[in-house]
Amino acid sequence: MSRQASRGTESKKMSSELFTLTYGALVTQLCKDYENDEDVNKQLDKMGYNIGVRLIEDFLARSNVGRCHDFRETADVIAKVAFKMYLGITPSITNWSPAGDEFSLILENNPLVDFVELPDNHSSLIYSNLLCGVLRGALEMVQMAVEARFVQDTLKGDGVTEIRMRFIRRIEDNLPAGEE
Amino acid sequence: MADEALFLLLHNEMVSGVYQAAEQGEGENGRCITKLENMGFRVGQGLIERFTKDTARFKDELDIMKFVCKDFWTTVFKKQIDNLRTNHQGIYVLQDNKFRLLTQMSAGKQYLEHASKYLAFTCGLIRGGLSNLGIKSIVTAEVSSMPACKFQVMIQKL
């Protein structure tokens, strides 16, 4: 049957569209629920964080990557393994700060915004802010406190989407007193 | 691509996000279900549109329901509906013995009362999909033992 045949190949793409569309519905709902864009951004970041702290386990189980020795290696793993695995894209890593504690992820195309146009009255909405939360949450679970934020966004007319990542500090395990 | 995990986690966050917002003020339980259902509806509409782009025209209602049970379900939940029943008068019951969005919860009775939260989005998904294929319906879900569940589709005749 011709209908059957055409479906198989499409199905992979379809399931990523499921995520894209679901995310879109979520953002739309949040925009209705909250009065200003800042609150929506905050909520998206929070949800992203919650996803990140869980996603890291799935990631470590699936990817077999070991411990990273420095922040540069972490950056590589994020871009080449994690983004590839979950979003099917490989962002490029640029703009390292001289101290090696900041870099940018450049997303040529961002699957989250595949079907999206920002209306004029939501100019301060950071549509994909969930991603920053995911990155922050996931890295926190491997003892790295980072800050992630969007500095460029194709939705706002920039040529590419850029996420700026900044390493803040290593989180030391605080063992309860008496346990070594 | 392992984006399935991503969808599951996002869905969980949506459910807890909607309920947390309700706790902090406005709204009762029913509103939350409606919200989730509406989100699902929108997604269902979009998905089915992309999905049926290159398919042949459907023969009849039953053909559409079969499509939802097989292809649509497989794409979204990685398995087919286990059992489709109909009274041939506009009521269809779709049974999934291992519903993806419930499998991460305890299979006992402990969280049975919370199950409906995790089904609302999917009810909307079905309703939205059918709606874009020209079928107006009401979709409800019930769980008697996790992780199996039944979706009842009542077709609204125009």
Side-chain angles (χ1 to χ4, degrees):
Chain A
M1 278 159 62
S2 64
R3 201 197 290 162
Q4 229 76 36
S6 67
R7 282 175 199 158
T9 49
E10 288 271 293
S11 121
K12 223 177 195 140
K13 210 176 94 220
M14 288 301 306
S15 66
S16 82
E17 284 176 2
L18 168 69
F19 179 72
T20 306
L21 287 167
T22 307
Y23 184 66
L26 170 70
V27 179
T28 313
Q29 185 61 46
L30 290 177
C31 286
K32 281 183 202 155
D33 288 353
Y34 292 90
E35 269 153 34
N36 60 54
D37 291 348
E38 277 74 24
D39 288 345
V40 177
N41 296 342
K42 226 182 274 169
Q43 182 64 18
L44 285 173
D45 182 73
K46 204 172 100 193
M47 289 178 140
Y49 175 84
N50 291 339
I51 292 176
V53 298
R54 295 182 172 88
L55 192 67
I56 187 76
E57 299 204 3
D58 182 81
F59 174 74
L60 292 175
R62 240 186 256 262
S63 67
N64 271 327
V65 296
R67 186 176 289 273
C68 294
H69 297 287
D70 56 14
F71 201 43
R72 280 178 191 270
E73 203 180 326
T74 310
D76 263 354
V77 171
I78 291 172
K80 295 189 183 126
V81 189
F83 267 87
K84 180 94 197 134
M85 189 187 276
Y86 292 109
L87 293 175
I89 52 169
T90 310
S92 47
I93 303 165
T94 56
N95 294 340
W96 276 99
S97 67
D101 63 346
E102 273 190 50
F103 66 92
S104 293
L105 290 165
I106 307 282
L107 286 69
E108 298 279 339
N109 53 0
N110 175 1
L112 288 186
V113 303
D114 271 352
F115 314 114
V116 180
E117 258 178 56
L118 274 192
D120 291 336
N121 58 343
H122 284 293
S123 53
S124 50
L125 176 72
I126 310 171
Y127 183 86
S128 313
N129 211 27
L130 187 95
L131 287 184
C132 291
V134 173
L135 288 166
R136 188 165 60 84
L139 288 175
E140 190 173 307
M141 289 297 114
V142 286
Q143 270 84 43
M144 262 181 274
V146 298
E147 178 197 276
R149 64 194 159 86
F150 278 90
V151 286
Q152 290 192 75
D153 195 338
T154 44
L155 277 185
K156 297 188 174 157
D158 299 316
V160 290
T161 299
E162 175 180 353
I163 303 175
R164 189 77 180 152
M165 300 276 291
R166 189 167 70 87
F167 178 80
I168 301 172
R169 64 188 170 85
R170 269 193 74 80
I171 302 167
E172 302 295 339
D173 277 330
N174 285 324
L175 288 174
E179 278 182 47
E180 283 301 324
Chain B
M1 218 161 80
D3 51 7
E4 198 207 349
L6 213 52
F7 170 71
L8 293 177
L9 288 169
L10 182 71
H11 178 264
N12 284 351
E13 276 310 305
M14 283 165 55
V15 174
S16 63
V18 165
Y19 275 85
Q20 261 165 29
E23 264 171 36
Q24 283 159 13
E26 35 84 45
E28 58 285 20
N29 207 330
R31 283 272 316 271
C32 296
I33 297 279
T34 311
K35 256 185 207 173
L36 288 168
E37 215 264 353
N38 280 338
M39 285 193 251
F41 183 80
R42 185 66 202 87
V43 176
Q45 280 188 314
L47 265 188
I48 206 86
E49 209 165 85
R50 316 275 304 167
F51 207 33
T52 49
K53 183 168 63 159
D54 303 314
T55 60
R57 183 173 273 275
F58 293 104
K59 274 207 317 281
D60 51 18
E61 207 174 85
L62 187 63
D63 197 26
I64 292 180
M65 292 309 293
K66 282 184 183 161
F67 175 79
V68 169
C69 292
K70 286 186 184 156
D71 303 81
F72 190 69
W73 217 258
T74 310
T75 309
V76 181
F77 301 114
K78 315 293 169 211
K79 72 185 283 293
Q80 294 185 5
I81 281 284
D82 294 295
N83 192 341
L84 170 68
R85 279 191 233 186
T86 175
N87 66 352
H88 297 287
Q89 284 169 7
I91 292 185
Y92 294 84
V93 177
L94 288 65
Q95 184 177 336
D96 191 330
N97 294 332
K98 205 176 162 214
F99 184 52
R100 195 69 186 90
L101 298 178
L102 294 179
T103 49
Q104 283 161 322
M105 273 188 271
S106 155
K109 292 239 179 270
Q110 193 180 2
Y111 296 110
L112 206 56
E113 55 175 318
H114 296 290
S116 61
K117 300 176 187 176
Y118 292 87
L119 299 172
F121 180 82
T122 309
C123 287
L125 205 64
I126 301 173
R127 192 167 67 86
L130 290 176
S131 140
N132 257 30
L133 293 175
I135 297 181
K136 222 176 136 199
S137 62
I138 294 174
V139 182
T140 51
E142 66 174 271
V143 186
S144 44
S145 70
M146 303 254 234
C149 69
K150 282 180 189 164
F151 295 93
Q152 191 183 59
V153 180
M154 262 191 286
I155 311 279
Q156 308 281 287
K157 290 281 179 254
L158 294 174

